Amino acid sequence: MRPEEAQAALDDVRRRGAQSRAEYLRYGFSRPYLLVSALLLFISFASFDLPNPWGGAVLFPAVVLLVGMLTVCLRRATVRRPMTSGEALLAAAAGIALVGLFRGLSAAAQAGGVPVPHTVVAAALSVVSLLVADRVRDTLVARVRGTDGR
């Protein structure tokens, strides 16, 4: 094999890798999955306003919805790849930041006299997370697309 052929093969591998990463991002951040995720976020956070036995009981359908979403996502995925440690760390950091933001905004809403502060904050965070996820998806897909030379 000549050096030019080897370089062309490596370039093709890199281009295919960028294509698969872009497809993985497009699929994982698709509208149906984002809507179900926002619904799960709302249910989980709004359940704090319900009385004691019902707050926990609402989480059971949320867990069933989560398991269903993950099953469908894993079975229908066009590209399968394991999560890297960096991606897992970023997801954990985003989750911790979201919970911290929820707690802070809920405390502020409760101090402001909002009748159902957790539900109001949960709705606001769900809508904002949908808007942010759309932007993040577009930015990441464009960045990944830029690495393959197109």
Side-chain angles (χ1 to χ4, degrees):
M1 179 179 273
R2 294 187 321 230
E4 300 85 25
E5 292 171 339
Q7 185 62 45
L10 284 174
D11 290 342
D12 190 46
V13 167
R14 287 186 187 108
R15 185 176 58 81
R16 295 287 184 190
Q19 285 176 341
S20 67
R21 283 190 301 277
E23 181 60 30
Y24 182 77
L25 287 169
R26 247 185 265 111
Y27 181 75
F29 281 91
S30 65
R31 180 70 59 188
Y33 295 117
L34 290 178
L35 290 173
V36 171
S37 297
L39 179 64
L40 284 168
L41 181 74
F42 175 75
I43 290 170
S44 300
F45 286 161
S47 69
F48 285 98
D49 283 332
L50 294 173
N52 196 2
W54 297 109
V58 168
L59 294 179
F60 289 121
V63 168
V64 169
L65 186 61
L66 177 66
V67 168
M69 180 184 81
L70 290 175
T71 302
V72 169
C73 183
L74 292 174
R75 289 198 155 215
R76 290 189 177 176
T78 54
V79 175
R80 289 181 178 86
R81 62 184 279 274
M83 182 182 284
T84 64
S85 59
E87 292 168 345
L89 201 60
L90 183 62
I96 290 169
L98 188 64
V99 169
L101 184 63
F102 170 74
R103 293 194 59 162
L105 290 175
S106 293
Q110 200 166 16
V114 176
V116 282
H118 298 101
T119 303
V120 170
V121 171
L125 283 178
S126 295
V127 170
V128 168
S129 68
L130 279 175
L131 297 174
V132 168
D134 272 344
R135 295 264 183 169
V136 167
R137 179 195 55 224
D138 295 341
T139 302
L140 290 176
V141 168
R143 184 176 296 160
V144 168
R145 277 286 182 195
T147 62
D148 69 351
R150 289 187 189 177

PDB file of all heavy atoms in Angstrom, residues 87-97:
ATOM      1  N   GLU A  87     -18.445  12.089  28.188  1.00  0.00           N
ATOM      2  CA  GLU A  87     -19.877  12.334  27.990  1.00  0.00           C
ATOM      3  C   GLU A  87     -20.667  12.042  29.258  1.00  0.00           C
ATOM      4  O   GLU A  87     -21.588  12.782  29.601  1.00  0.00           O
ATOM      5  CB  GLU A  87     -20.398  11.473  26.839  1.00  0.00           C
ATOM      6  CG  GLU A  87     -19.873  11.867  25.477  1.00  0.00           C
ATOM      7  CD  GLU A  87     -20.164  10.838  24.410  1.00  0.00           C
ATOM      8  OE1 GLU A  87     -20.514   9.690  24.737  1.00  0.00           O
ATOM      9  OE2 GLU A  87     -20.024  11.190  23.223  1.00  0.00           O
ATOM     10  N   ALA A  88     -20.298  10.969  29.960  1.00  0.00           N
ATOM     11  CA  ALA A  88     -20.985  10.626  31.205  1.00  0.00           C
ATOM     12  C   ALA A  88     -20.742  11.705  32.262  1.00  0.00           C
ATOM     13  O   ALA A  88     -21.668  12.089  32.989  1.00  0.00           O
ATOM     14  CB  ALA A  88     -20.511   9.273  31.714  1.00  0.00           C
ATOM     15  N   LEU A  89     -19.534  12.214  32.335  1.00  0.00           N
ATOM     16  CA  LEU A  89     -19.211  13.264  33.285  1.00  0.00           C
ATOM     17  C   LEU A  89     -19.972  14.545  32.957  1.00  0.00           C
ATOM     18  O   LEU A  89     -20.498  15.211  33.858  1.00  0.00           O
ATOM     19  CB  LEU A  89     -17.703  13.510  33.273  1.00  0.00           C
ATOM     20  CG  LEU A  89     -17.099  14.173  34.482  1.00  0.00           C
ATOM     21  CD1 LEU A  89     -17.352  13.327  35.717  1.00  0.00           C
ATOM     22  CD2 LEU A  89     -15.607  14.364  34.272  1.00  0.00           C
ATOM     23  N   LEU A  90     -20.050  14.873  31.683  1.00  0.00           N
ATOM     24  CA  LEU A  90     -20.799  16.061  31.262  1.00  0.00           C
ATOM     25  C   LEU A  90     -22.286  15.911  31.567  1.00  0.00           C
ATOM     26  O   LEU A  90     -22.925  16.864  32.039  1.00  0.00           O
ATOM     27  CB  LEU A  90     -20.579  16.313  29.772  1.00  0.00           C
ATOM     28  CG  LEU A  90     -21.225  17.553  29.182  1.00  0.00           C
ATOM     29  CD1 LEU A  90     -20.667  18.811  29.851  1.00  0.00           C
ATOM     30  CD2 LEU A  90     -20.997  17.606  27.691  1.00  0.00           C
ATOM     31  N   ALA A  91     -22.853  14.740  31.333  1.00  0.00           N
ATOM     32  CA  ALA A  91     -24.267  14.493  31.629  1.00  0.00           C
ATOM     33  C   ALA A  91     -24.529  14.600  33.125  1.00  0.00           C
ATOM     34  O   ALA A  91     -25.536  15.186  33.550  1.00  0.00           O
ATOM     35  CB  ALA A  91     -24.694  13.130  31.101  1.00  0.00           C
ATOM     36  N   ALA A  92     -23.636  14.047  33.930  1.00  0.00           N
ATOM     37  CA  ALA A  92     -23.796  14.129  35.384  1.00  0.00           C
ATOM     38  C   ALA A  92     -23.697  15.573  35.865  1.00  0.00           C
ATOM     39  O   ALA A  92     -24.481  16.015  36.714  1.00  0.00           O
ATOM     40  CB  ALA A  92     -22.754  13.261  36.079  1.00  0.00           C
ATOM     41  N   ALA A  93     -22.765  16.321  35.317  1.00  0.00           N
ATOM     42  CA  ALA A  93     -22.613  17.730  35.697  1.00  0.00           C
ATOM     43  C   ALA A  93     -23.852  18.535  35.297  1.00  0.00           C
ATOM     44  O   ALA A  93     -24.318  19.391  36.060  1.00  0.00           O
ATOM     45  CB  ALA A  93     -21.367  18.319  35.052  1.00  0.00           C
ATOM     46  N   ALA A  94     -24.398  18.263  34.111  1.00  0.00           N
ATOM     47  CA  ALA A  94     -25.602  18.968  33.672  1.00  0.00           C
ATOM     48  C   ALA A  94     -26.786  18.620  34.569  1.00  0.00           C
ATOM     49  O   ALA A  94     -27.591  19.496  34.922  1.00  0.00           O
ATOM     50  CB  ALA A  94     -25.921  18.618  32.219  1.00  0.00           C
ATOM     51  N   GLY A  95     -26.905  17.367  34.966  1.00  0.00           N
ATOM     52  CA  GLY A  95     -27.983  16.955  35.867  1.00  0.00           C
ATOM     53  C   GLY A  95     -27.872  17.610  37.231  1.00  0.00           C
ATOM     54  O   GLY A  95     -28.864  18.085  37.794  1.00  0.00           O
ATOM     55  N   ILE A  96     -26.671  17.656  37.767  1.00  0.00           N
ATOM     56  CA  ILE A  96     -26.459  18.299  39.067  1.00  0.00           C
ATOM     57  C   ILE A  96     -26.761  19.787  38.978  1.00  0.00           C
ATOM     58  O   ILE A  96     -27.404  20.359  39.875  1.00  0.00           O
ATOM     59  CB  ILE A  96     -25.020  18.035  39.558  1.00  0.00           C
ATOM     60  CG1 ILE A  96     -24.872  16.558  39.933  1.00  0.00           C
ATOM     61  CG2 ILE A  96     -24.662  18.931  40.738  1.00  0.00           C
ATOM     62  CD1 ILE A  96     -23.444  16.126  40.166  1.00  0.00           C
ATOM     63  N   ALA A  97     -26.333  20.412  37.891  1.00  0.00           N
ATOM     64  CA  ALA A  97     -26.619  21.834  37.714  1.00  0.00           C
ATOM     65  C   ALA A  97     -28.121  22.087  37.586  1.00  0.00           C
ATOM     66  O   ALA A  97     -28.648  23.063  38.140  1.00  0.00           O
ATOM     67  CB  ALA A  97     -25.889  22.366  36.484  1.00  0.00           C
TER      68      ALA A  97
END
